[in-house]
Amino acid sequence: MFSRLTRPASTALRRGFATSSQNNAKVAVLGASGGIGQPLSLLLKNSPLISRLNLYDIAHTPGVAADLSHIETRAEVKGFLGPEQLPESLKGCEVVVIPAGVPRKPGMTRDDLFNTNATIVANLAAACAQHCPEAMICVIANPVNSTIPITSEVFKKHGVYNPNKIFGVTTLDIVRANTFVAELKGLDPARVNVPVIGGHAGKTIIPLISQCTPKVDFPQDQLTALTGRIQEAGTEVVKAKAGAGSATLSMAYAGARFVFSVLDAMNGKEGVIECSFVRSEETECPYFSTPLLFGKNGIEKNLGIGKISPFEEKMVAEAVSELKASIKKGEEFAKSMK
């Protein structure tokens, strides 16, 4: 089981804060003034893995950068404002995180965000392709099932496409699955690990409870309810915030965990595994999230789906048509852009 190799979430985040591991990574956050961008930037500022943190947005970044720059950690922070400063914010960056875009409001699906966020991501991806084509690109902006195909097509247009360096950050689904399983079983969530495969919206989110470490069992009705809660957890937060936003703090945590894993692997650490929505040949979908072994140059090996239960097999089969449609929508959008 690949899940045995994966690192518990809290360990991943703590490693980002560990003082023994020093590196000089230059990281850019595009959309750094937003609801996800600010807490994400705060977590990244706390990491000794990062020596330079470039914050880009279309408003407020000088203030966010000034605020974070007062924190007593080694990362130098600089704010960049507006499209004219975007190229400079990307030069020399090894990792780019993209939380930019509009958040979901009550009643909205991730697809409702498509038109606005697709354009934002396409423009930011084009800038990355031009100014830091070798960087690891970590896309948080929803709908991830479409924004990753968009990013890939934009990189192809610029002749710098490397499928091993473009990631859809689905880590929040894993973080939630770990938390919810731990709550039901009375376990320490830091020691629970549930791989989540497929995509990053509704029924395309497929938690592999059968591969959970430590091993857990649920009656079918409880398993169905748990799976449904993991799939709709984002909506749970949107409703609870009653129009004031979507999942920002937990997403910032998950995004930081993912970036620290990428940086660990770039530093030569072995055995770093995270699930991510990437170019894939594991199913008939051209993009699919599975556990990935990271290396110095991005994806070292796709570890695939592994052995799954009949219940999980059925979920995979049901997710394929929706995933294919979202992927096609993203690809066609990117191809239609001038």
Side-chain angles (χ1 to χ4, degrees):
M1 295 296 178
F2 302 129
S3 56
R4 288 184 193 134
L5 302 172
T6 49
R7 195 175 52 224
S10 63
T11 313
L13 207 62
R14 280 200 300 269
R15 182 165 292 118
F17 301 149
T19 52
S20 60
S21 178
Q22 296 288 314
N23 189 35
N24 295 309
K26 192 172 178 182
V27 177
V29 180
L30 308 184
S33 300
I36 296 169
Q38 289 199 43
L40 173 62
S41 299
L42 172 62
L43 292 170
L44 297 179
K45 172 70 173 104
N46 269 289
S47 172
L49 299 171
I50 298 168
S51 61
R52 176 67 180 258
L53 190 58
N54 285 356
L55 308 183
Y56 170 81
D57 215 320
I58 55 171
H60 310 305
T61 29
V64 175
D67 196 357
L68 288 178
S69 72
H70 294 179
I71 293 171
E72 54 182 357
T73 57
R74 68 190 289 259
E76 181 188 347
V77 184
K78 187 167 183 186
F80 297 83
L81 189 64
E84 64 285 347
Q85 292 186 10
L86 178 57
E88 190 60 32
S89 75
L90 294 169
K91 282 177 185 169
C93 285
E94 296 147 278
V95 178
V96 179
V97 199
I98 307 180
V102 296
R104 273 204 299 161
K105 294 181 173 62
M108 287 177 75
T109 66
R110 287 178 177 85
D111 269 348
D112 292 333
L113 306 175
F114 180 85
N115 289 330
T116 301
N117 287 0
T119 303
I120 292 169
V121 170
N123 290 334
L124 294 176
C128 292
Q130 290 170 280
H131 302 289
C132 56
E134 295 295 315
M136 307 288 182
I137 310 297
C138 308
V139 180
I140 290 171
N142 273 316
V144 165
N145 294 355
S146 298
T147 55
I148 287 302
I150 288 170
T151 303
S152 298
E153 292 301 320
V154 169
F155 270 68
K156 286 177 191 175
K157 276 187 181 180
H158 286 84
V160 291
Y161 177 56
N162 182 344
N164 294 327
K165 292 188 171 187
I166 295 177
F167 305 96
V169 180
T170 62
T171 316
L172 183 51
D173 298 326
I174 292 92
V175 167
R176 286 167 167 160
N178 295 346
T179 302
F180 299 164
V181 167
E183 284 174 356
L184 288 171
K185 291 295 185 182
L187 299 167
D188 176 359
R191 299 187 179 279
V192 174
N193 196 57
V194 180
V196 181
I197 64 168
H200 187 54
K203 69 178 184 182
T204 71
I205 298 168
I206 304 163
L208 300 184
I209 307 294
S210 70
Q211 291 185 18
C212 177
T213 32
K215 187 168 177 53
V216 293
D217 287 301
F218 295 98
Q220 188 57 50
D221 60 338
Q222 198 174 19
L223 180 61
T224 302
L226 170 61
T227 299
R229 188 184 177 203
I230 294 165
Q231 291 174 333
E232 295 302 325
T235 303
E236 190 177 303
V237 176
V238 169
K239 285 180 178 175
K241 288 192 174 182
S246 57
T248 53
L249 301 175
S250 53
M251 184 63 247
Y253 168 89
R257 168 183 156 171
F258 188 84
V259 170
F260 296 150
S261 289
V262 169
L263 292 173
D264 273 345
M266 289 171 70
N267 281 349
K269 182 172 179 60
E270 296 183 356
V272 178
I273 295 171
E274 291 281 359
C275 295
S276 180
F277 188 68
V278 297
R279 184 77 192 180
S280 173
E281 295 179 359
E282 296 302 314
T283 67
E284 57 189 281
C285 294
Y287 296 85
F288 202 82
S289 180
T290 47
L292 307 168
L293 177 65
F294 288 177
K296 289 187 176 183
N297 298 304
I299 300 169
E300 196 165 282
K301 186 179 182 182
N302 192 320
L303 300 177
I305 295 172
K307 187 183 178 193
I308 59 176
S309 70
F311 176 67
E312 292 159 354
E313 284 174 359
K314 185 167 179 277
M315 284 195 288
V316 171
E318 290 173 350
V320 165
S321 61
E322 184 178 322
L323 264 179
K324 280 183 172 176
S326 297
I327 291 164
K328 186 179 179 186
K329 189 175 181 181
E331 288 176 337
E332 288 180 348
F333 177 87
K335 286 171 182 172
S336 71
M337 285 189 74
K338 292 178 182 176

